[in-house]
Amino acid sequence: MKKPELLIPAGSLEVLRTAVRYGADAVYLGGEVFSLRAKAHNFSEEDMREGIRYAHEHGVKVHVTCNILAHNGDFPGVEDYLRLLADMKPDALIISDPGIFMAARELCPGIELHVSTQANSTNYRTWLFWHSLGAKRVVAARELSLREIREIREKIPEDMEIECFVHGAMCISYSGRCLLSNYFTGRDANRGACTHPCRWKYAVMEETRPGEYLPVYENERGTFIFNSKDLCMIEHIPELVDAGVDSMKVEGRMKTALYVVAVARTYRRAIDDYFESPEKYRENLPWYRKEIAACTAREFTTGFYFGKPGPEDQIYGNNTYETNAVYIGTVGAADPDGRVYFPQKNKFSVGDTVEIMKPDGRDVQAKVLRIQSGEGIDQESAPHPKQPLTVTLASEVPAEAGDILRMIPENPAERA
């Protein structure tokens, strides 16, 4: 069996470094233009060059998205951008528009071309079509079952790859081609500006009774009729491998470093455990479930992999993300005396117990003994996000640069 690639999202240079440290085989990211996550931080030219350099230095590949559905007026800018990417030399470009694909084939020789899930690839003949044009990989439409993916694997060349989403947000529209955002706000989801109207609350209004809103579902708060649970396949790694998936992709270029760490570390360990021993994978399922539940997440579904989703795969009562963990920060530097230096992300106080998340799966308990501001002034708590801090921790295993600090409050009301 071929060990699949673990492909992790990177919304910023900080998150890219984190993904590399916590087990990604490859990362995918978007530049400041022509990406379907226009509201993410995204990468400047300088950050992208540094990100590619850093990833390659650590043996990790970089895939860059250029996956809008282009209009005529986009092409002068698209072609300039492709020339820039040709100079940067990422490992692959993720493209959905056939016109951009052909331009990339001409302007980016030597860089693999991957076909985005936005291209709605749902059958083996589509894989063969893209292969004939020079595509190395196709990202499967999310509407495919494992049975269909297995059949595609059987009917395409061995050197043609299948990439599948295994974790993260699901879109209510066919392969993500949504028109709701454009209709309601004028912001085109297919050009990177989605406002996520699938997460909004809706009701019905009868024509002759304006202003009287009728709930679509038996819930006094109305209903979120387009609101899907998040995809999670951590309990089905064997089935994905058996179907012939070459790359397991995590959604989330707009998520935090804590999300990326929790998901990357868990899927990394699950994949490695399975290839070491299926029994070891089965034994560790409780740990995988616990880790995934601790990161920022919604309720989970297996999507279309085992058949068409039903009402149980929707969330009708709210549109919020739940979390059991508070992201404290990413360690920038540490010294032998237990002092760590980092810009803080969420509030914590002297006396709190935090967890040091290690790339190998360990969670080390640490007591906060002292908090000092960047100016060296002692403070009892750290209430202001982005404040540079020096924090003294007491733990059996010291924190190191790149480690993630999180806190799991006993009181759910304290969750952030």
Side-chain angles (χ1 to χ4, degrees), residues 152-216:
I152 290 169
R153 177 72 273 165
E154 292 169 353
K155 294 181 180 293
I156 63 174
E158 286 187 13
D159 65 342
M160 185 70 171
E161 296 177 347
I162 299 174
E163 180 177 304
C164 292
F165 280 96
V166 298
H167 194 93
M170 296 285 283
C171 183
I172 195 66
S173 292
Y174 194 77
S175 294
R177 289 194 172 192
C178 184
L179 301 177
L180 288 175
S181 181
N182 204 358
Y183 179 78
F184 284 127
T185 69
R187 298 182 183 180
D188 192 345
N190 298 308
R191 303 181 79 189
C194 184
T195 55
H196 299 103
C198 55
R199 302 291 185 246
W200 300 351
K201 181 169 69 175
Y202 292 88
V204 172
M205 187 177 70
E206 200 271 322
E207 183 179 10
T208 62
R209 291 181 283 177
E212 183 177 344
Y213 297 100
L214 308 174
V216 183

Side-chain angles (χ1 to χ4, degrees), residues 89-103:
K89 295 181 173 57
D91 298 276
L93 304 181
I94 304 172
I95 297 170
S96 58
D97 187 293
I100 295 179
F101 186 94
M102 298 306 286

Side-chain angles (χ1 to χ4, degrees), residues 7-26:
L7 179 56
I8 299 295
S12 68
L13 186 55
E14 174 198 357
V15 175
L16 180 147
R17 291 186 178 122
T18 299
V20 170
R21 177 171 168 78
Y22 281 81
D25 295 309

Side-chain angles (χ1 to χ4, degrees), residues 52 56 62-64 85-93 110-112:
I52 292 170
H56 286 174
V62 178
H63 305 173
V64 177
L85 292 174
D87 181 62
M88 291 188 190
K89 295 181 173 57
D91 298 276
L93 304 181
I111 298 177
E112 288 186 9

Side-chain angles (χ1 to χ4, degrees), residues 8-12 15 27-43 63-68 81 94 116 118 165 192 249-256 259-260:
I8 299 295
S12 68
V15 175
V27 296
Y28 67 101
L29 55 90
E32 295 176 322
V33 291
F34 310 123
S35 166
L36 282 181
R37 287 294 182 269
K39 292 194 293 182
H41 294 295
N42 291 318
F43 282 69
H63 305 173
V64 177
T65 61
C66 187
N67 56 347
I68 67 163
Y81 184 51
I94 304 172
S116 170
Q118 295 291 119
F165 280 96
K249 185 173 190 174
V250 173
E251 181 275 337
R253 279 191 286 142
M254 297 176 70
K255 299 292 201 314
T256 67
Y259 170 91
V260 168

Side-chain angles (χ1 to χ4, degrees), residues 3-8 22-25 164-168 230-237 240 248-251 259-275 281 287-288 291-292 295 300-301:
K3 194 172 190 177
E5 169 188 87
L6 178 59
L7 179 56
I8 299 295
Y22 281 81
D25 295 309
C164 292
F165 280 96
V166 298
H167 194 93
D230 276 9
L231 179 66
C232 178
M233 290 291 285
I234 194 65
E235 298 182 34
H236 302 287
I237 299 297
L240 289 162
M248 296 186 185
K249 185 173 190 174
V250 173
E251 181 275 337
Y259 170 91
V260 168
V261 163
V263 176
R265 187 177 70 160
T266 307
Y267 276 87
R268 173 78 282 143
R269 183 167 171 183
I271 294 168
D272 290 348
D273 285 350
Y274 178 69
F275 275 82
Y281 169 80
W287 185 85
Y288 311 146
E291 281 298 300
I292 290 296
C295 75
F300 291 128
T301 174

